[in-house]
Structure formats: structure tokens, C-alpha cells
Amino acid sequence: MTTPTLRHFLRDDDLSPAEQADVLALAAKMKQHPFAVRPLEGPRTVAVISDKPTLRTQASFAAGIAELGGYPMMVDGKLAQIGTRESVEDTARVLGRQAAAIVWRTGDQSRIDAMAAHAGVPVVNSLTDQFHPCQTLADLLTMTERLGPVAGRTFAFVGDAACNMGHSYVLAGALAGMHVRVGAPAAYAPDAAVVARATEIARSTGGSVEIHTDPAAAVAGADAVATDTWVSRGAEAEAAERERIFRPYQLDRALLDHADPDAIVLHCLPAYRGKEVTAEVLDGPRSVIWDQAENRRHVQKAVLAWLLAHAADAAATGEGA
């Protein structure tokens, strides 16, 4: 018999394919019955730390934690100065004694890895420079609602793929058994190690991962097409050059016409109409971005409930982080 251990959600492949499916099924149930599952009744506290600008993340976690019966303790990362005024490790030890779980929107992945190693409670990645796993769960729930079972479906992501969304899309899509196609300039492809990991996962799920430099080849026949900003935080000085490089990857009507006629359009927001996507596409009938934004709340509730159940099992057996 396997001894339960404390679990975290730091990158998409922290879940197995079966676990991802379980979390998504739980999210769908929670969406239908928002107050049926209340593992934070008390209320118990969840620390929600934001080092970076936030709207959807803060709002969806605050609302979701409240629906789970808990209290969202909002921590301003700039005020806390985690890693500057106080080490990540010491911060983890403090917050782990105040909160049932910790949610962190931060920079390098090494920071949230250190938090998880020392907190003693479940830690959730609400965005790092390398991964955005809560967003891709929301996207998978949205695609399932619109398309039915996603295994075997084709998903395309175009634009800057050397970013957290590019990395999370190949991993999450592979876990779900999707055929993931990325269309990006060669210098802006996802990290090779992440692609290799996603390809390994896809072999066991019946999915696949392809990297293209031709955006039309990536989008051809796709059931869902996504894009994201061309100028991630920290790259503002490169904005003009990036717009020149990525202009052929703009998700406009002409590019979308290469997809399946019933294909849906996703964008994790904020969106810059007229740049990575045209207003015609983003505000058009095939866009599901508002469902996608709402679904952050439901999948994040499911992740927290799932992690807290594992934490309770681990505590019962005396296992720590």
C-alpha cells in the first residue's frame, strides 16, 4: 500500500493523466454545485500571495476560497518582499503555520519550489515565469464544455511559446491526450526539456506534440486555437521588435480559417486587440474567453480541495512535506 504524501501543484505534470481527469471532473461538479464541497469550513485560511499584477487570479482565488468555506488572506508580495526582506524558506515556515494552503503568483519557478519544500502545507502555482498550470486546467474545462471529451482533439497555440503558457499548454494537453501543435518562430519555441517531457507523457495518453514555425500548419484543422500576449512582463523594452517578429502569428480571421470550421478561440487575458489577436476574432462568436476566465475559479477550487484531501491523508499517516 502506498503511503500518502503531501502534494503540491507547481507545474502541470505534478498531476498524472488520471489525476488531471479527476480534478477536472471535480471542477465540473463544483461549477454545478458551488457550495457542496467545503474543506475550508471554519473558516480555514489560504494565503494568496501576488508578486505580479493580478486581476483574474486574485478574484478567482478569493471567490473560490470563500465558496470552499475558507478565508483568503491576500498578501502583497511587494510589501512582503519575499526573498529580499526575508528568505523564501523562512516565509514558507511562517505562512505554513498560519494557512491551510499557500497560493503564489511569482517569478522564477525556483521560488515556488522552495516555498513548497519548506511550507508543510499544499502550495499552488498561480503563475510563474515558467508555468501557469491553473490557467491550462481552466482551458481544458472550457474545451470540454464546448467540445466534449478532449482526448484525441487538436489544440493549437500560436505566438510566443517560449513562455509559461507555451510550457503549460504542451504539458497539460499531453496529459489530456490531446494533439498539441505550437506555431512560433524558432527562437521562441517552448523549452526543449519541457517539450521532451510532454512528448513522453503523450506516448502514454495517445496524444502528441508538434512544434511548427508556420502558424497555418499549426492551426490546420485544429478544434481549439489559443494565443497570448507577445510581450510578457519583463520584456517591455523589446515590444517593437517582438511585434515585428510575431506579426505573421497574429490570430486573425485568415489564420483562424485554417482551423476546423467549428473551432473555438481561447486567450488567457489580458488581451491586446490588434496585436496577438484581432478584435474580430476575440469578440467573435467562436471566442470562449469569458467562460475560460470564469472557469479559473472552478478548477482552482478543485485543485485546492484535491490537495487538501491528500494533505489530510498524509497528516493521518504522519507524513510531512
Side-chain angles (χ1 to χ4, degrees), residues 19 36 85 114 145 156 160 196 207 224 240 263 267 286 298 308 311-312 320:
E19 289 169 343
R85 178 173 176 270
E145 290 173 339
D160 179 11
H267 193 304
R286 295 158 78 175
H298 308 303
L308 289 166

Side-chain angles (χ1 to χ4, degrees), residues 81-171:
Q81 298 181 50
I82 301 170
T84 303
R85 178 173 176 270
E86 193 166 10
S87 71
V88 174
E89 292 80 3
D90 286 355
T91 303
R93 294 180 182 106
V94 170
L95 290 178
R97 294 186 177 215
Q98 303 291 346
I102 297 170
V103 175
W104 198 8
R105 183 180 179 89
T106 190
D108 192 77
Q109 187 76 11
S110 62
R111 288 167 62 79
I112 202 164
D113 289 342
M115 181 73 77
H118 294 89
V121 297
V123 175
V124 176
N125 177 357
S126 60
L127 176 143
T128 62
D129 293 344
Q130 287 81 16
F131 301 100
H132 199 356
C134 289
Q135 180 64 60
T136 46
L137 282 179
D139 295 0
L140 287 170
L141 179 60
T142 306
M143 286 188 275
T144 300
E145 290 173 339
R146 293 302 185 105
L147 303 173
V150 296
R153 294 279 194 172
T154 298
F155 170 83
F157 176 70
V158 292
D160 179 11
C163 66
N164 49 19
M165 288 308 302
H167 296 152
S168 278
Y169 272 137
V170 295
L171 288 173

Side-chain angles (χ1 to χ4, degrees), residues 15-34 36-37 136-142 144-145 148-150 176 295 298-303 305-306:
L15 299 177
S16 70
E19 289 169 343
Q20 184 198 68
D22 288 345
V23 168
L24 288 169
L26 179 58
K29 291 179 181 178
M30 287 179 160
K31 186 170 183 176
Q32 294 299 313
H33 306 285
V37 180
T136 46
L137 282 179
D139 295 0
L140 287 170
L141 179 60
T142 306
T144 300
E145 290 173 339
V150 296
N295 281 338
H298 308 303
V299 298
Q300 288 161 184
K301 286 174 63 179
V303 166
W306 189 88

Side-chain angles (χ1 to χ4, degrees), residues 7 12-13 23 27 46 53 58 100-101 104 108 114 119 151 169 189 194 201 222 261 265 267 302 321:
R7 298 288 296 273
D12 305 79
D13 55 345
V23 168
V46 175
Q58 179 171 299
W104 198 8
D108 192 77
Y169 272 137
V194 176
I201 294 168
V265 172
H267 193 304

Side-chain angles (χ1 to χ4, degrees), residues 46-69:
V46 175
V48 181
I49 314 168
S50 298
D51 293 349
K52 297 190 174 189
T54 177
L55 171 63
R56 280 154 298 280
T57 293
Q58 179 171 299
S60 58
F61 267 109
I65 290 163
E67 289 181 359
L68 292 174

Side-chain angles (χ1 to χ4, degrees), residues 274-315:
K275 294 191 177 181
E276 75 273 6
V277 62
T278 61
E280 177 187 21
V281 169
L282 195 68
D283 300 320
R286 295 158 78 175
S287 172
V288 296
I289 60 167
W290 308 121
D291 291 344
Q292 186 185 0
E294 177 194 338
N295 281 338
R296 284 284 298 278
R297 179 169 94 255
H298 308 303
V299 298
Q300 288 161 184
K301 286 174 63 179
V303 166
L304 283 169
W306 189 88
L307 290 173
L308 289 166
H310 278 268
D313 290 343

